[in-house]
Amino acid sequence: MRKLILAAASVVALALAGPASADSPIIIKFSHVVASNTPKGAAAEKFKELAEKYTDGKVKVEIYPNSTLYKDKEELEALQLGAVQMLAPSNSKFGPIGVREFEVFDLPYILPDLTALRKVTDGPLGAKLLKLLEPKGMIGLAYWDNGFKEMTANKKLIAPADYKGLKFRVQSSKVLEAQFRALGAIPQVMAFSEVYQALQTGVVDGQENTASNIYTQKMHEVQKYLTMTNHGYIGYVVVVNKKFWDGLPADIRGQLEKAMKEATAFGNGQSAKENEEALEAIKKAGKTEIDTLTPAQDAAMRKAMEPVYKEVAGRVGQPLIDEFVKETGGVTH
Ligand code: LMR
């Protein structure tokens, strides 16, 4: 795969060698792993529409959704090598390239709601986190929402004890691994594109995700139970290859920044609604029992996951966790 990525990178480098003209627009390949009818898919489409409009066709954005080009880990390597120019991986996926700090977003119950999230992403802490990406050859342009995660399995999940011994697929985040271990479950890191089949064949018993991801990947068809835990958040960092971005004519970069700003406002303005609609669609499909927790059951889940904060403090950084919690007014441990 690395060879393939390299070959693609050199083709792209050649294509970018000449100046942009009406005949040879600048191409932005935007790769992502989810369906087009999700919060990320819709925001990417909006960015394409606005970027092409504001640059008067000098930039063409090619979107490759649903892991058609690369899976999770490969897409980050491809971006670093210049085989694609833009991605929006979830916060949970930057650990493998050496930026562990984004895993702070994965801490259970750290975000009480989206208003608290915005305090981080729109403030100095969000900007500081984006800066960490530059030494990795990428620039963070924006934070895009998906939403809050629910738990699914073929077993009813109400109490922490229900998780014991079950295998759960996780994104590539050590915080998420620790979270499932705290519940007595067995975490297994897996690419998003492989989750449906792993659930169907019983390679894993369950997973955590937003309603829009569950519905568009048809996970509900192979999961009998969904519990509305809202225990964590999935959001994205839109990243662009640094060399590519720095090499753009300043006027074009400005137009793309404007397009990104507006696409972000658009996407983040409708992500919650998209997840609500997906949840309704899951209910309507009638294959999955949807459970909600009583306040006491919710408290038991929070308590069971509390040790995660201490366990990952060394990895994510206690000062960062403290700063995050201070910004959000969220849970303190
Ligand atoms: C996942 O891997 O479960 C999600 O990060 C996929 C995505 O991009 O929303």
Side-chain angles (χ1 to χ4, degrees), residues 25-209:
I26 297 170
I27 306 288
I28 296 182
K29 287 187 193 233
F30 190 147
S31 170
H32 70 77
V33 299
V34 294
S36 299
N37 55 335
T38 56
K40 176 162 60 181
E45 293 290 344
K46 183 53 103 183
F47 172 69
K48 170 183 166 67
E49 177 199 320
L50 297 175
E52 293 178 355
K53 184 170 136 195
Y54 294 153
T55 62
D56 213 4
K58 289 195 201 75
V59 169
K60 198 168 170 303
V61 182
E62 293 175 359
I63 302 175
Y64 299 88
N66 247 328
S67 309
T68 40
L69 212 48
Y70 300 111
K71 296 196 238 176
D72 298 308
K73 192 163 170 280
E74 296 160 4
E75 70 172 15
L76 276 155
E77 288 170 5
L79 185 87
Q80 287 180 306
L81 291 166
V84 291
Q85 288 68 46
M86 202 173 273
L87 312 170
S90 75
N91 291 311
S92 322
K93 291 185 183 157
F94 290 93
I97 62 157
V99 189
R100 305 158 167 189
E101 287 84 349
F102 283 91
E103 289 179 10
V104 70
F105 288 93
D106 291 332
L107 280 160
Y109 304 102
I110 198 160
L111 286 166
D113 50 36
L114 290 180
T115 311
L117 167 80
R118 300 273 182 263
K119 286 195 194 144
V120 174
T121 54
D122 297 350
L125 180 53
K128 192 164 85 179
L129 286 168
L130 293 184
K131 279 268 169 240
L132 300 173
L133 296 166
E134 291 189 16
K136 303 293 171 189
M138 54 187 81
I139 292 180
L141 295 179
Y143 288 98
W144 284 359
D145 275 350
N146 187 328
F148 289 93
K149 292 183 285 189
E150 323 298 356
M151 296 283 198
T152 73
N154 279 321
K155 184 182 169 198
K156 201 170 164 105
L157 301 169
I158 303 297
D162 299 330
Y163 291 78
K164 202 167 167 38
L166 296 188
K167 277 198 210 124
F168 276 83
R169 175 268 172 172
V170 286
Q171 306 178 71
S172 56
S173 157
K174 297 288 178 207
V175 173
L176 298 178
E177 288 184 39
Q179 171 193 275
F180 279 104
R181 277 199 310 270
L183 292 169
I186 304 149
Q188 192 165 325
V189 174
M190 190 180 288
F192 184 65
S193 57
E194 289 161 12
V195 181
Y196 173 84
Q197 209 185 357
L199 292 170
Q200 188 189 35
T201 55
V203 168
V204 290
D205 301 300
Q207 63 85 45
E208 53 169 9
N209 230 307

